[in-house]
């Protein structure tokens, strides 16, 4: 059973900032769309996509990685298919088949092309019109482009339309070597100079440049913070009660995804996160934390309870959106609905069921 609850003022906060959220839950294969109902209640809409992980969005478009494909979803706007209560309807329009290359973070560059982290191949890559993918960059300590997930390259921060920083769990150059360094082998690399600018982190994720600071999640230790690029040290801002992955920003606030560590996965064992939770008499949770960057306080939250979803990967903001919906492939909606432009107006047609 799935139970999703939000803090009392969360929907007011979403409405005041005119945003909704998209969240990927790769363990359960769900894309969750979080918005507000007409009665100011929390609205959750979900669609199933196999192992969905990396997300990028600008309101009109969502890019989303899945087990062996990268999808572009486009907003078709309100209409008969979405019904009046929804103000956006995201429909899968283009899918690139990449194979299972373990795509983590996804972004869009200055030319409108998707770029992404292939964790299996330890590189930044982009789509190819004829191949599975086109490699763009790999850390200089990775000696070969090979499907071995050596350093667990996972996160990517963009600047001026191109990748600027990445996170990795180690600088290992042997297959699966990052697992041996998960406690303190994490690092941040400047893509443009190939320099390691921060190290000693624990399984870092989700680097993002925001307001001239390089923010990230020190997941194995349980903290949101930013990197002092002069000294290479991390300035902690807030503790996150779970394994943190997924980071987005709205005004003075950060939105952080937290997950329950997999107890049957050795990579999550022995992390300092366990000590931090024990010191606070807390158990790891799954959900979202809205954190005030000025104080480090958690001002709003979502908790996901039950056995269906225990882990999140990414979260993105959908601007100027009240209550979004999406089409998937588990029902026949996507085959029975058609959209087209006529005389500069979006038209739609629905086949009778």
């Amino acid at each position: 059973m799935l139970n999703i609850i939000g803090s009392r003022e969360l929907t007011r906060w979403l409405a005041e900032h005119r945003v909704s959220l998209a969240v990927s839950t790769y363990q359960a294969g769900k894309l969750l769309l979080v918005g507000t109902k007409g009665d100011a209640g929390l609205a959750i809409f979900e669609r199933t996509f196999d192992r969905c992980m990396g997300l990028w969005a600008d309101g009109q478009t969502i890019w989303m990685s899945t087990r062996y494909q990268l999808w572009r979803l486009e907003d078709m706007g309100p209409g008969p298919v979405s019904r009046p209560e929804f103000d956006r309807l995201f429909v899968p329009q283009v899918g690139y088949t990449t194979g299972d290359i373990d795509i983590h973070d996804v972004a869009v560059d200055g030319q409108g092309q998707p770029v992404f982290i292939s964790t299996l191949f330890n590189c930044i890559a982009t789509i190819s019109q004829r191949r599975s993918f086109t490699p763009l960059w790999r850390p200089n300590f990775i000696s070969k482009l090979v499907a071995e997930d050596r350093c667990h390259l996972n996160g990517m921060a963009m600047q001026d339309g191109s990748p600027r920083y990445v996170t990795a769990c180690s600088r290992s150059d042997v297959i699966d070597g990052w697992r041996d360094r998960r406690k303190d082998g994490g690092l941040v690399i400047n893509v443009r100079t190939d320099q390691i600018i921060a190290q000693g982190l624990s399984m870092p994720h989700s680097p993002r440049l925001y307001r001239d600071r390089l923010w990230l999640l020190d997941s194995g230790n349980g903290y949101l913070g930013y990197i002092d690029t002069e000294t290479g040290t991390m300035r902690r801002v807030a503790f996150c009660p779970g394994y943190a992955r997924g980071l987005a920003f709205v005004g003075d606030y950060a939105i952080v995804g937290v997950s329950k560590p997999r107890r049957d996965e050795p990579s999550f064992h022995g992390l300092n996160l366990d000590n931090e939770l024990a010191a606070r008499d807390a158990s790891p949770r799954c959900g979202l934390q809205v954190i005030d960057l000025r104080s480090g306080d958690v001002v709003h939250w979502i908790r996901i309870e039950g056995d269906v979803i225990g882990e999140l990967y990414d979260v993105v903001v959908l601007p100027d959106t009240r209550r979004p919906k999406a089409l998937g492939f588990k029902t026949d909606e996507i085959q029975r609905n058609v959209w087209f432009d006529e005389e500069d107006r979006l038209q739609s047609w629905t086949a009778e069921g």
Side-chain angles (χ1 to χ4, degrees):
M1 181 178 178
L2 179 62
N3 184 30
I4 301 178
I5 57 176
S7 56
R8 187 169 56 183
E9 299 296 330
L10 173 65
T11 53
R12 179 180 296 180
W13 182 85
L14 290 170
E16 286 177 352
H17 289 85
R18 300 178 62 194
V19 299
S20 292
L21 307 174
V23 184
S24 60
T25 65
Y26 71 99
Q27 166 229 16
K30 299 291 185 183
L31 173 67
L32 300 180
L33 300 176
V34 181
T36 55
K37 298 178 181 178
D39 61 2
L42 186 64
I44 305 291
F45 192 91
E46 60 92 2
R47 280 289 182 254
T48 299
F49 294 94
D50 189 16
R51 203 172 188 267
C52 51
M53 290 185 65
L55 297 172
W56 179 93
D58 64 1
Q60 170 61 39
T61 303
I62 296 176
W63 284 92
M64 175 182 63
S65 70
T66 60
R67 184 177 297 275
Y68 60 90
Q69 291 176 301
L70 181 67
W71 282 98
R72 193 190 80 216
L73 290 77
E74 292 291 336
D75 172 38
M76 299 301 175
V81 181
S82 59
R83 303 197 303 271
E85 61 264 36
F86 297 95
D87 60 340
R88 290 192 187 273
L89 174 64
F90 291 99
V91 179
Q93 285 292 97
V94 177
Y96 291 91
T97 300
T98 61
D100 189 357
I101 61 174
D102 201 11
I103 295 177
H104 278 54
D105 277 12
V106 176
V108 172
D109 67 14
Q111 285 71 51
Q113 290 288 99
V115 291
F116 50 83
I117 297 284
S118 168
T119 299
L120 182 64
F121 281 87
N122 312 282
C123 71
I124 298 175
T126 188
I127 56 174
S128 170
Q129 298 303 318
R130 300 184 63 190
R131 313 300 182 202
S132 297
F133 68 95
T134 299
L136 299 175
W137 175 91
R138 69 176 188 264
N140 58 13
F141 53 78
I142 297 295
S143 58
K144 183 180 181 180
L145 195 68
V146 60
E148 291 185 355
D149 186 7
R150 297 178 173 184
C151 65
H152 205 69
L153 194 72
N154 56 51
M156 177 174 59
M158 302 289 287
Q159 185 179 52
D160 300 327
S162 65
R164 179 64 188 275
Y165 299 103
V166 293
T167 49
C169 291
S170 82
R171 53 182 301 164
S172 174
D173 194 30
V174 299
I175 185 171
D176 211 33
W178 64 271
R179 296 185 193 273
D180 302 324
R181 301 289 183 266
R182 63 188 186 278
K183 291 184 181 179
D184 59 6
L187 46 91
V188 180
I189 309 169
N190 185 327
V191 173
R192 298 176 188 175
T193 64
D194 287 317
Q195 292 181 321
I196 295 173
I197 66 163
Q199 48 193 331
L201 304 168
S202 180
M203 299 180 73
H205 282 81
S206 310
R208 306 285 186 260
L209 280 164
Y210 185 69
R211 292 183 174 176
D212 299 321
R213 283 181 173 172
L214 175 58
W215 295 85
L216 57 77
L217 301 171
D218 192 12
S219 307
N221 287 314
Y223 283 92
L224 162 71
Y226 60 91
I227 299 297
D228 183 330
T229 54
E230 296 295 323
T231 64
T233 57
M234 179 174 173
R235 307 296 185 186
R236 292 175 172 177
V237 172
F239 176 71
C240 304
Y243 190 79
R245 277 176 306 206
L247 175 61
F249 296 91
V250 175
D252 293 321
Y253 303 91
I255 305 159
V256 178
V258 291
S259 301
K260 297 177 181 179
R262 279 168 277 168
R263 295 306 178 188
D264 59 346
E265 171 58 69
S267 301
F268 291 98
H269 294 174
L271 298 175
N272 188 52
L273 173 62
D274 292 337
N275 300 327
E276 296 281 357
L277 287 165
R280 294 165 172 82
D281 192 25
S283 298
R285 64 184 62 176
C286 177
L288 299 175
Q289 308 270 294
V290 179
I291 299 170
D292 190 324
L293 298 174
R294 298 161 294 186
S295 64
D297 296 339
V298 177
V299 293
H300 304 290
W301 48 265
I302 289 177
R303 293 191 68 162
I304 303 175
E305 299 176 337
D307 299 328
V308 178
I309 296 173
E311 297 182 42
L312 309 181
Y313 181 75
D314 212 352
V315 57
V316 291
V317 173
L318 304 177
D320 298 317
T321 305
R322 176 181 50 81
R323 188 177 180 184
K325 179 181 177 179
L327 298 188
F329 302 111
K330 296 296 184 180
T331 70
D332 66 352
E333 282 183 292
I334 200 164
Q335 75 181 46
R336 293 192 299 107
N337 291 279
V338 176
W339 292 265
F340 56 94
D341 291 313
E342 183 181 34
E343 298 179 352
D344 296 325
R345 292 186 60 189
L346 177 64
Q347 307 286 344
S348 64
W349 171 81
T350 301
E352 293 185 6

